[in-house]
Each structure stands twice: as C-alpha cells, then as structure tokens.
Amino acid sequence: PDPDFEDVKKHYLALKPTAVPGGDFLGSISANYPEDPESEKMATQRTFLHSLSKVYPFPNLQKVFETYLREHEPTLDSRKSYMKWMHGLLTILSRETGTSMPSFKGFAHHLAYYRSGCSKKTYHGKTCRKIAGGGRTKSRDHAKTFRVSHVKLL
C-alpha cells in the first residue's frame, strides 16, 4: 500500500542535510563572476543572494544564511573578493551541517574546474581531453547541452 500524504510529509520534514545544499552551485557562481564587474552586475548578484536567503532549504540553514548575509554584506567588487565571501558563507553552512570545508586555496582550486578552458594556463580536470576525429570534450559537451536546452518543447 502507498503511504498517505501525512506520512510522506512527516518523512521529508524529518530529513537532515548531509551536505551544504547547492554548495557547488553557489561556488561556481562566484568562480564565474567577472573580475571587474559593472554596477548592474553587482546589484543583480546582491538581489539574488538576498532572495536566495529567504528560500534556502532547511529552516536552520536558512537562518544561518540570513544571519551571515546581514552581518557580512557581500563583497562584489571582484571575483576573488566574492569567492572569499562565498567561502565564508559555505564554511558557516558546512559547520551547521557537520561537513568539512576546504581552505580557501582548496576551494578556489576546486572551483577552477568550473572555469577551466583548454589552454595549459587554465586547464583543470577532464574538461578538455582530445577526442577521436579532432576537437575536445569541453566543446562537444557544450554542443550537446546547447542542443538539449534549445530543443522546442512539445
């Protein structure tokens, strides 16, 4: 027999986070932030963070996010300052979830994967392996994602 709605609701309300929800997503946002942002971009990010703090999952993590945001206004004048601010937020959230967080240097190296290009200077990870017939995996994967995301919906 299928569980009733109240049983399902009780089950999901009792769940506890085992990692920071959306940690890689938030980190990749900061890693892809412009080095010298325009004021409009900074305002957009500030609005995004304040909106996200109101809907962040798990009430205890939402409270931590809101408190950190209130006490430490985001530094959005450069990519590095934003990444440091984000590292601080994710460190506080990881303490709350009981998970580990690397140092800022380790955090930045992990996020370099999301920014990596195919030149030796920016290469990190498996994003740029050469494939048979020429080309690189990063370009191939981008093309596949583009095709999937731009297909007309039925």
Side-chain angles (χ1 to χ4, degrees), residues 116-131:
S116 65
C118 294
S119 70
K120 285 190 179 198
K121 184 178 179 184
T122 61
Y123 176 71
H124 290 87
K126 300 175 182 175
T127 56
C128 287
R129 291 174 292 160
K130 289 184 178 178
I131 54 177

Side-chain angles (χ1 to χ4, degrees), residues 30-35 77-84 115:
S30 67
N32 286 293
Y33 190 69
E35 194 55 55
D77 52 340
S78 71
R79 178 183 307 132
K80 186 173 183 178
S81 64
Y82 189 25
M83 285 176 64
K84 283 188 176 196
R115 290 195 46 78

Side-chain angles (χ1 to χ4, degrees), residues 10-148:
K10 191 184 306 179
H11 170 77
Y12 282 103
L13 286 175
L15 288 178
K16 302 287 183 226
T18 56
V20 176
D24 271 353
F25 169 69
L26 291 171
S28 67
I29 287 173
S30 67
N32 286 293
Y33 190 69
E35 194 55 55
D36 188 24
E38 298 172 7
S39 58
E40 184 179 316
K41 182 77 168 173
M42 294 184 344
T44 302
Q45 283 300 312
R46 192 166 273 111
T47 302
F48 167 73
L49 291 169
H50 282 277
S51 298
L52 183 63
S53 72
K54 291 175 177 59
V55 295
Y56 200 71
F58 300 102
N60 60 327
L61 295 181
Q62 182 181 10
K63 187 180 285 186
V64 169
F65 193 131
E66 287 177 324
T67 303
Y68 185 81
L69 191 59
R70 190 172 41 256
E71 293 174 0
H72 307 279
E73 191 61 30
T75 354
L76 300 169
D77 52 340
S78 71
R79 178 183 307 132
K80 186 173 183 178
S81 64
Y82 189 25
M83 285 176 64
K84 283 188 176 196
W85 183 88
M86 190 62 74
H87 180 262
L89 170 66
L90 294 175
T91 299
I92 298 293
L93 289 171
S94 66
R95 279 189 207 138
E96 188 70 23
T97 60
T99 57
S100 63
M101 182 70 183
S103 66
F104 177 73
K105 187 176 179 180
F107 175 70
H109 189 268
H110 173 71
L111 295 180
Y113 178 82
Y114 298 110
R115 290 195 46 78
S116 65
C118 294
S119 70
K120 285 190 179 198
K121 184 178 179 184
T122 61
Y123 176 71
H124 290 87
K126 300 175 182 175
T127 56
C128 287
R129 291 174 292 160
K130 289 184 178 178
I131 54 177
R136 302 209 177 251
T137 54
K138 189 165 193 152
S139 301
R140 177 201 65 198
D141 295 344
H142 175 75
K144 283 182 181 178
T145 303
F146 187 85
R147 278 198 311 265
V148 169

